Structure formats: structure tokens, C-alpha cells
Amino acid sequence: MNKPVQQRTLKTRARLIDAANAVVAEAGFDALRVEQVVAGAGVAKGTFFAHFKDKDALMDLLIGARIDSYLDQIESAPTPRDVDDLIETLMPLLNFMTCERYVFDVILRLSGAAAVEQIGAIAMTFERHAQVVAKWLADGPFRTDVSPELLAEGVHAFSIQAMALKFCALHNSQTLTENLRPYLRAWLMPQPAS
């Protein structure tokens, strides 16, 4: 039988998360150090590790929460009318995911694709993203010869590719939208060969 979590434990964890969010707000995700978090929370370093396995575990929670907040906005948006509308609706999320190279790297490492031992917050957002996009694609003016679920997986994969190009020295002259548009047009609205 699991023991109930004590209020003090929950409050300490909340203080750690608040302190981490304060560091991120001031200096960004990449600048966050465990030492800053424990100092801001007023706890010992050992207390941090009693709540989080490592810095990545904290980042998983922080970044996953931000992705979820963007998914809340996306989920309440109307069904996109076309590829450009779809991209415009997804862009705030994609911009966050590429706001720092470090954030993008953490997302890729903790997405579940890297065979991590434990499914965390970021990996759960990938599943949620696929569900939201699949619903749009089922209701929208997109191709119907492929299931909405497979189409959503393709949108996600092409989004990752377009985001990766943002950090590529050979391809970073184009915007994220410019990188993503040709992939999604070809995938969601293929044209017959002429």
C-alpha cells in the first residue's frame, strides 16, 4: 500500500519548482543550475535529489508543463482550414520548443523516442499532441486515404525535422514556417502527378 504524500513534501517540491521557474524566467532554461534552485527554495542540495533524480527530471517537468499549456491553447482553437492555418496554430508551440537549443535537445532526449526508462511529462505531451492534431485532421479538409492518426504522426515528425533545420548551419536561413510548409503540403494535401 502506498503511503500518502505529506503536505510538507508537496510544499517543498512546489518551492523547488517555483525557484526553478524563477531562474528560467530570469536567465532561460540552459542557465538553470541545481545550486540556484536549492538556494532559491531555501533547501539543501540533498533535498533537491530527494524530489528529482537529476536536473533532466526537473527539466522534463518544467518543459512538459509549458508544452501542455500550449496544447491547451491549441486544443481550444478551431479546426484549421488549410496547411497554412494549421502551421499558424502550431507555431506558438513550435517557437517555444525551439526558443533555446537546450530546450529542443531536452525535448528530443525525453520525448520517449530515446528509449528512456520512464515516461515523463514531455513524452506524455507528444501523445497528447498527436491526439489533438489527429482530431483536426479528421475534421479538416485534408487527405482521407490515410488515417488521421498516421497523418498526425507525420505532422509531428515533419515539425521535428523543420525545428531541427532551425539549428542547422546549412538550412537556418529559412523560417520555421518556410521549412515546415512544403513538408505539410506534400503530406496533407498531395497533388496528383502531372
Side-chain angles (χ1 to χ4, degrees):
M1 178 180 218
N2 289 340
K3 293 167 112 179
V5 179
Q6 293 184 6
Q7 282 296 97
R8 187 179 76 176
T9 300
L10 294 173
K11 287 179 182 178
T12 301
R13 184 177 177 88
R15 282 198 336 258
L16 288 163
I17 293 167
D18 288 346
N21 278 320
V23 172
V24 168
E26 184 176 313
F29 287 92
D30 190 34
L32 184 139
R33 301 291 177 262
V34 171
E35 293 77 14
Q36 295 167 298
V37 174
V38 297
V43 299
K45 198 170 188 179
T47 302
F48 176 89
F49 291 107
H51 289 271
F52 300 101
K53 177 181 158 195
D54 52 22
K55 180 181 166 183
D56 273 357
L58 174 62
M59 287 298 166
D60 187 35
L61 186 115
L62 296 178
I63 294 170
R66 297 262 179 108
I67 294 172
D68 263 332
S69 70
Y70 283 105
L71 288 172
D72 289 343
Q73 294 169 21
I74 289 169
E75 202 165 25
S76 66
T79 300
R81 300 176 309 269
D82 56 29
V83 168
D84 287 334
D85 198 22
L86 174 70
I87 292 170
E88 183 180 328
T89 306
L90 291 175
M91 200 49 59
L93 171 62
L94 302 183
N95 284 331
F96 166 70
M97 293 173 77
T98 57
C99 69
E100 296 177 37
R101 173 65 189 249
Y102 175 77
V103 169
F104 184 65
D105 290 346
V106 169
I107 289 169
L108 288 182
R109 280 189 291 115
L110 301 180
S111 67
V116 292
E117 300 168 8
Q118 189 176 17
I119 301 301
I122 291 172
M124 296 303 289
T125 66
F126 272 48
E127 178 64 25
R128 182 176 175 207
H129 180 275
Q131 292 169 354
V132 169
V133 173
K135 182 178 180 315
W136 279 348
L137 299 174
D139 296 339
F142 305 104
R143 68 190 289 185
T144 57
D145 61 321
V146 176
S147 74
E149 293 77 20
L150 183 58
L151 288 176
E153 287 181 27
V155 168
H156 198 74
F158 288 128
S159 297
I160 296 293
Q161 171 66 11
M163 288 186 286
L165 290 174
K166 177 178 177 174
F167 299 108
C168 174
L170 296 175
H171 298 93
N172 66 4
S173 62
Q174 290 187 293
T175 67
L176 191 49
T177 298
E178 291 168 335
N179 285 330
L180 186 55
R181 184 180 292 120
Y183 293 131
L184 294 190
R185 282 189 176 158
W187 177 237
L188 297 175
M189 304 184 95
Q191 301 300 309
S194 47

